[in-house]
């Protein structure tokens, strides 16, 4: 096959397309160079070849690929492929700024006693479970939503509010019925934060949805909690009591 066909075949293969290709040719025609780059070439070198120039170009390509890999490591969770915490925050800010007319919810999930699950079934099984949950979350929020992994077994999603508030349990019902065999052995907790005030910093919004999901940890009759000011006041009051206990015991 000719060089252009070769480049096209490389692009069609998911694994091969990741390999940089330098086109080397006798032609110094500008149209040939543009055509090669259009078909997916990373670089174009015409004769006469100069070894040091080619070596430096290869080194530059390797450095660019390594830099891209580091950027992806920052942006994406290595295990699940979802957004990292920091990049999720950035994407939420961007989404809210670009879609002022739409309403959104933040949804946070947490696996009850995930450490015990790892102890009982092993770390590989725990990793498989996390990847399956990530896949279900990504599917449910669709192309218009965002998904991230905050840490360990906690996931967070931004989803457009497409139903009335009275029907918000529909979202959670879908996850409880998700076709994941490994989820039969676990209990999921869900927190919801309804974004009504966009002046609140995104980091604070995410803290609030975490407060919601943490408020029902260990309560086996509750599977989801919705953040509101009453919940915040109760949590602050409980924390104030906890903070006062050391002094109270001393006195």
């Amino acid at each position: 096959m000719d060089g252009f066909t070769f480049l096209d075949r490389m692009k069609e293969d998911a694994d091969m397309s990741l390999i940089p290709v330098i086109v080397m040719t006798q032609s110094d025609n500008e149209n040939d160079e543009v055509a090669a780059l259009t078909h997916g070439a990373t670089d174009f070198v015409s004769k006469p070849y100069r070894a040091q120039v080619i070596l430096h170009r290869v080194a530059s390509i390797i450095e660019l690929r390594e830099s891209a890999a580091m950027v992806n490591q920052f942006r994406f969770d290595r295990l699940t492929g979802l957004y990292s915490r920091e990049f999720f925050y950035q994407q939420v800010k961007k989404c809210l700024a670009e879609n002022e007319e739409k309403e959104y919810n933040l949804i946070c999930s947490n696996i009850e006693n995930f450490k015990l699950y790892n102890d009982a079934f092993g770390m590989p099984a725990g990793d498989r479970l996390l990847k399956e949950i990530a896949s279900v979350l990504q599917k449910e929020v669709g192309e218009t939503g965002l998904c991230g992994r905050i840490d360990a077994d906690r996931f967070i999603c931004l989803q457009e509010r497409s139903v009335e508030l009275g029907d918000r349990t529909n979202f959670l019902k879908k996850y409880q019925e998700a076709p994941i065999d490994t989820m039969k052995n676990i209990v999921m907790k869900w927190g919801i934060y309804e974004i009504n005030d966009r002046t609140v910093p995104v980091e604070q919004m995410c803290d609030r949805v975490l407060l919601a999901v943490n408020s029902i940890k260990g309560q086996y009759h509750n599977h989801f909690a919705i953040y509101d000011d009453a919940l915040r006041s109760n949590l602050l009051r409980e924390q104030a009591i906890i903070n006062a206990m050391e002094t109270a015991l001393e006195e």
Side-chain angles (χ1 to χ4, degrees):
M1 67 185 76
D2 62 34
F4 295 144
T5 306
F6 174 80
L7 288 169
D8 290 338
R9 294 282 293 275
M10 289 274 290
K11 285 171 65 177
E12 291 171 1
D13 186 286
D15 293 325
M16 298 287 281
S17 65
L18 299 175
I19 302 173
V21 178
I22 299 177
V23 173
M24 302 166 65
T25 177
Q26 291 183 340
S27 172
D28 60 356
N29 188 304
E30 183 179 340
N31 291 334
D32 289 342
E33 182 174 357
V34 171
L37 296 173
T38 301
H39 283 266
T42 308
D43 204 350
F44 184 92
V45 180
S46 58
K47 286 186 176 180
Y49 303 139
R50 288 175 291 174
Q52 289 301 315
V53 171
I54 294 174
L55 285 172
H56 281 296
R57 289 193 178 188
V58 170
S60 295
I61 291 170
I62 291 172
E63 185 177 353
L64 284 171
R65 289 301 172 102
E66 289 178 343
S67 298
M70 289 179 66
V71 169
N72 280 338
Q73 187 174 355
F74 164 75
R75 291 181 174 181
F76 300 100
D77 175 60
R78 187 178 300 177
L79 176 66
T80 64
L82 300 182
Y83 289 146
S84 66
R85 178 199 290 258
E86 293 79 8
F87 195 60
F88 178 81
Y89 290 170
Q90 292 180 17
Q91 292 303 103
V92 170
K93 291 176 186 176
K94 181 180 177 183
C95 182
L96 294 179
E98 294 177 351
N99 299 279
E100 295 181 357
E101 76 286 355
K102 295 181 180 179
E103 295 183 320
Y104 290 92
N105 289 340
L106 278 172
I107 300 100
C108 182
S109 68
N110 186 55
I111 303 173
E112 192 82 354
N113 293 324
F114 181 64
K115 290 182 179 179
L116 290 179
Y117 184 93
N118 274 339
D119 289 341
F121 300 102
M123 293 287 288
D127 287 346
R128 285 196 299 273
L129 172 62
L130 293 174
K131 287 191 281 189
E132 287 186 74
I133 292 174
S135 178
V136 170
L137 290 173
Q138 192 77 68
K139 180 180 177 181
E140 291 299 336
V141 301
E143 296 181 358
T144 59
L146 303 172
C147 286
R149 184 185 178 202
I150 299 178
D151 55 37
D153 59 320
R154 291 196 292 188
F155 298 89
I156 191 166
C157 301
L158 179 77
Q159 187 175 45
E160 187 176 350
R161 196 184 307 158
S162 58
V163 295
E164 295 299 323
L165 297 183
D167 297 325
R168 56 196 165 198
T169 54
N170 290 345
F171 174 90
L172 303 174
K173 185 179 179 183
K174 286 193 293 185
Y175 292 106
Q176 297 296 348
E177 297 172 350
I180 300 180
D181 292 337
T182 45
M183 288 185 71
K184 294 176 182 177
N185 302 308
I186 66 169
V187 174
M188 296 289 293
K189 301 293 185 180
W190 304 90
I192 301 175
Y193 176 75
E194 295 160 349
I195 301 176
N196 297 316
D197 181 1
R198 301 200 181 197
T199 63
V200 176
V202 168
E203 292 81 3
Q204 192 171 336
M205 292 180 185
C206 293
D207 285 343
R208 289 178 176 182
V209 77
L210 284 170
L211 283 175
V213 74
N214 289 338
S215 70
I216 54 172
K217 203 169 183 179
Q219 298 179 14
Y220 288 93
H221 59 289
N222 285 334
H223 292 283
F224 74 94
I226 299 164
Y227 177 89
D228 57 23
D229 289 337
L231 171 63
R232 180 173 179 271
S233 297
N234 288 336
L235 291 173
L236 289 174
R237 180 174 178 274
E238 289 178 7
Q239 189 61 50
I241 293 171
I242 292 170
N243 293 340
M245 280 186 176
E246 186 174 348
T247 304
L249 288 170
E250 288 176 355
E251 297 178 357

